[in-house]
Amino acid sequence: MGDFIRREDPAPGIARIVLARPEMRNAQSPELLYELDAAFAHATADSDVKVIVLASDGPDFSSGHDLKAGFTLPCAPVATLQSGLDAGGAEGHYAFECEAYLGLCKRWRDIPKPTIAQAQGRTIAGGLMLLWPMDIIVAADDATFSDPVTAFGVNGIEYFTHAWELGARKAKEILFTGRAMTAAEARDVGMVNHVVDATELDAFTVELAATVAARPAFGLRLAKESINRGLDAQGQSTALDSALALHNLGHAHNLAQHGQIVHPAGADVIRAAAQRRELTP
């Protein structure tokens, strides 16, 4: 599918799309994100595909955004009709995040086929933005999940569904402390559907996908759309737009105060916490 994405067909009716940048812990450059979008679009258009699985190579699902990759789209916008992408400062960065981060995540949430993510190892910050738009999440027992980016002087990741994924109080704890949740803890709050032995992650996920794929495609689509409309009726889409605006207010403040879009001490804060094992319970 590209330099960073691979497609597999592990069983009839199932397309498995794999993040294939393990040497970078599947860090998300713009190129990776748009290769992923193209793979999702191809599987969605394939009438032989009933269920789409998202997986990743290597020990970790995703280390989040590749901050060294820059903020330039590798292609024309596909999720939004953004203007200002070539503008400087906060205007250009806001346009980029509306398209490449929130825009793509909303697009993936509404794929009209069931989607299942399988996660192993660490999922950090932007990695959650790949998991949370999926319909079902299966985690290996070694998996952890964290959003430590308040250390960067912003509210959290750009796809801000924390209150729906974790509940309001747990979301505040995770954001305020930056610590990682274990797979079992994520299951307990409803973010993860199943926790399995790491050696069984692939097989369990394919078996689950096959069970889903046995049902009528249109019934699955209607069920998914009904739930997503319910989330929007609760205000999820409006909350996402509002949170992204606040996120970019944080970027603009950092730019004015420090000359860069994230707080310069943020990376050191996160590394120090990890060394003190504060990022796990």
Side-chain angles (χ1 to χ4, degrees):
M1 300 298 294
D3 293 334
F4 304 128
I5 298 295
R6 182 177 70 256
R7 172 170 163 175
E8 302 170 346
D9 297 279
I14 300 168
R16 181 161 57 203
I17 297 169
V18 183
L19 309 179
R21 203 186 183 198
E23 73 284 356
M24 295 293 291
R25 297 296 191 264
N26 299 307
Q28 302 155 26
S29 64
E31 289 77 13
L32 181 147
L33 292 174
Y34 282 87
E35 284 187 17
L36 177 60
D37 181 76
F40 278 142
H42 187 271
T44 299
D46 186 342
S47 60
D48 291 330
V49 172
K50 296 280 295 292
V51 179
I52 301 171
V53 172
L54 176 63
S56 65
D57 287 337
D60 297 313
F61 178 76
S62 176
S63 60
H65 298 323
D66 184 348
L67 299 180
K68 296 180 180 179
F71 302 100
T72 301
L73 297 186
C75 58
V78 298
T80 64
L81 294 172
Q82 282 300 314
S83 62
L85 285 162
D86 57 352
E91 178 185 359
H93 193 77
Y94 180 61
F96 174 87
E97 292 200 343
C98 285
E99 161 64 22
Y101 293 158
L102 181 56
L104 288 181
C105 287
K106 284 184 172 183
R107 175 173 157 93
W108 300 336
R109 189 203 76 154
D110 291 331
I111 290 170
K113 294 181 178 182
T115 56
I116 303 175
Q118 58 177 77
Q120 76 283 358
R122 294 172 295 178
T123 299
I124 302 171
L128 296 170
M129 295 171 59
L130 306 184
L131 291 182
W132 285 353
M134 302 294 102
D135 299 317
I136 295 172
I137 299 174
V138 180
D141 53 8
D142 67 348
T144 62
F145 309 92
S146 64
D147 183 4
V149 300
T150 53
F152 288 137
V154 295
N155 51 345
I157 57 171
E158 294 86 350
Y159 187 70
F160 202 91
T161 54
H162 301 65
W164 281 270
E165 298 291 346
L166 309 176
R169 295 196 185 280
K170 182 60 72 174
K172 290 176 183 178
E173 177 194 344
I174 294 304
L175 289 166
F176 292 173
T177 65
R179 75 167 179 85
M181 301 174 64
T182 65
E185 187 180 6
R187 179 187 56 201
D188 289 346
V189 299
M191 189 199 106
V192 163
N193 296 81
H194 301 279
V195 176
V196 301
D197 188 280
T199 61
E200 299 297 324
L201 183 61
D202 283 352
F204 183 93
T205 305
V206 170
E207 183 178 357
L208 176 60
T211 300
V212 175
R215 292 179 176 269
F218 194 49
L220 294 170
R221 175 174 182 169
L222 295 178
K224 176 171 180 171
E225 188 170 340
S226 296
I227 293 173
N228 284 359
R229 286 186 183 186
L231 292 172
D232 288 337
Q234 294 172 18
Q236 187 182 82
S237 184
T238 300
L240 282 167
D241 293 340
S242 177
L244 185 70
L246 293 173
H247 179 96
N248 277 268
L249 175 61
H251 281 322
H253 175 74
N254 286 324
L255 197 61
Q257 291 290 104
H258 308 293
Q260 59 186 64
I261 62 172
V262 297
H263 194 289
D268 289 338
V269 170
I270 293 170
R271 290 191 194 101
Q275 289 173 356
R276 295 193 301 269
R277 299 184 180 273
E278 290 180 3
L279 297 191
T280 54

